């Protein structure tokens, strides 16, 4: 199983690799301008909504949801660039991304 640090590193790496193909240019600019000062990257329990998107039951023992966004001074998300579902298992390469979730 991935450690939380490794999971977050993997999520950010995948986000950076895929963002230019999936986000509008103004969102890329916002990310580049603000992520170093206001960026938030956090793991959370997977939402029940993922099952409809990926077609199988998602449990928090095997999968993690990671949010990539910008926060306010209270460390609350103000803008979400992506919600990502990643496998916690090192031997399973799985990632599903919802870009600009509401």
């Amino acid at each position: 199983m991935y450690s939380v640090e490794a999971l977050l590193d993997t999520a950010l790496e995948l986000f950076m690799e895929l963002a230019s193909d999936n986000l509008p240019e103004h969102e890329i600019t916002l990310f580049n301008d603000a992520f170093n000062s206001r960026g938030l990257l956090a793991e959370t329990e997977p939402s029940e909504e993922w099952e409809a998107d990926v077609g199988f039951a998602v449990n928090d023992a095997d999968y993690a949801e990671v949010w990539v966004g910008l926060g306010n001074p209270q460390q609350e998300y103000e803008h979400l660039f992506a919600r990502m579902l990643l496998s916690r298992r090192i031997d399973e390469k799985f990632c599903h991304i919802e870009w600009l979730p509401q």
Side-chain angles (χ1 to χ4, degrees):
M1 298 299 240
Y2 280 112
S3 68
V4 172
E5 276 185 33
L7 195 65
L8 294 176
D9 287 346
T10 298
L12 188 57
E13 184 178 306
L14 289 167
F15 175 86
M16 299 290 283
E17 182 180 324
L18 300 170
S20 63
D21 293 333
N22 293 283
L23 291 174
E25 187 62 37
H26 70 277
E27 292 290 333
I28 300 292
T29 301
L30 177 60
F31 177 85
N32 289 335
D33 290 347
F35 194 76
N36 283 339
S37 61
R38 299 182 15 219
L40 292 177
L41 181 67
E43 177 210 7
T44 185
E45 242 181 70
S47 166
E48 293 178 7
E49 298 168 5
W50 285 113
E51 187 171 344
D53 288 344
V54 296
F56 58 86
V58 174
N59 64 65
D60 62 347
D62 295 322
Y63 297 91
E65 184 171 324
V66 176
W67 291 12
V68 181
L70 300 176
N72 60 24
Q74 291 77 34
Q75 297 293 300
E76 300 165 331
Y77 280 88
E78 288 185 338
H79 185 82
L80 200 55
F81 295 105
R83 279 181 2 149
M84 307 172 76
L85 182 67
L86 294 112
S87 174
R88 293 180 183 277
R89 296 174 41 169
I90 294 171
D91 62 339
E92 180 184 5
K93 303 293 183 202
F94 176 86
C95 177
H96 187 83
I97 302 174
E98 180 183 357
W99 299 97
L100 298 173
Q102 296 300 318

